[in-house]
Amino acid sequence: MHLTGDQRAKTLAHETAHFVAGHELGMPKEDVETIAESASFVVLSHFDIDTSRYSFGYVARWAKDRAVLKRNLDAIQKTASRVIEGLERLPATAPNTSPSELYTRSFRHAA
């Protein structure tokens, strides 16, 4: 399967959110997928990558019951914040390049 740069960024952010949130096998699938995809959307939006066309439908499928989204809002916010804070602490390797630019550029232009 070939993923574009933005799709790679979305997939990495989604899987990173699973890790940061401490998701484990056996947890309710609707909760872990709602948290991971919603946090991924927030993280990538922070770095000016729009994944709404994919993310909104994905979350809607897992959170058909509004209670799923409501009960996970705090976990979504905390997970997204931790990922963003971690990325922004990464050192820029190129002069005058912010961590957000490096993050965005590395996935948009990955081969």
Side-chain angles (χ1 to χ4, degrees):
M1 173 190 303
H2 177 73
L3 299 176
T4 65
D6 284 356
Q7 187 64 29
R8 285 180 184 181
K10 192 221 71 65
T11 301
L12 179 61
H14 177 100
E15 297 307 323
T16 300
H18 278 304
F19 177 78
V20 169
H23 293 159
E24 297 176 4
L25 291 175
M27 292 179 155
K29 190 86 166 156
E30 66 273 10
D31 291 324
V32 298
E33 292 304 322
T34 296
I35 293 166
E37 190 61 29
S38 298
S40 170
F41 173 77
V42 172
V43 169
L44 294 175
S45 291
H46 179 81
F47 292 106
D48 296 322
I49 298 174
D50 180 14
T51 63
S52 59
R53 288 180 56 189
Y54 178 83
S55 295
F56 292 171
Y58 189 90
V59 171
R61 282 189 298 278
W62 285 107
K64 290 176 187 167
D65 180 350
R66 295 176 88 187
V68 173
L69 185 59
K70 286 183 178 184
R71 74 174 170 248
N72 289 300
L73 289 174
D74 187 55
I76 292 165
Q77 187 275 325
K78 286 179 180 174
T79 301
S81 291
R82 285 186 61 203
V83 173
I84 290 167
E85 289 169 8
L87 288 168
E88 289 186 334
R89 283 195 304 263
L90 292 173
T93 58
N96 301 318
T97 304
S98 70
S100 62
E101 288 176 73
L102 288 174
Y103 182 76
T104 304
R105 190 180 323 143
S106 68
F107 290 103
R108 284 203 169 142
H109 301 295

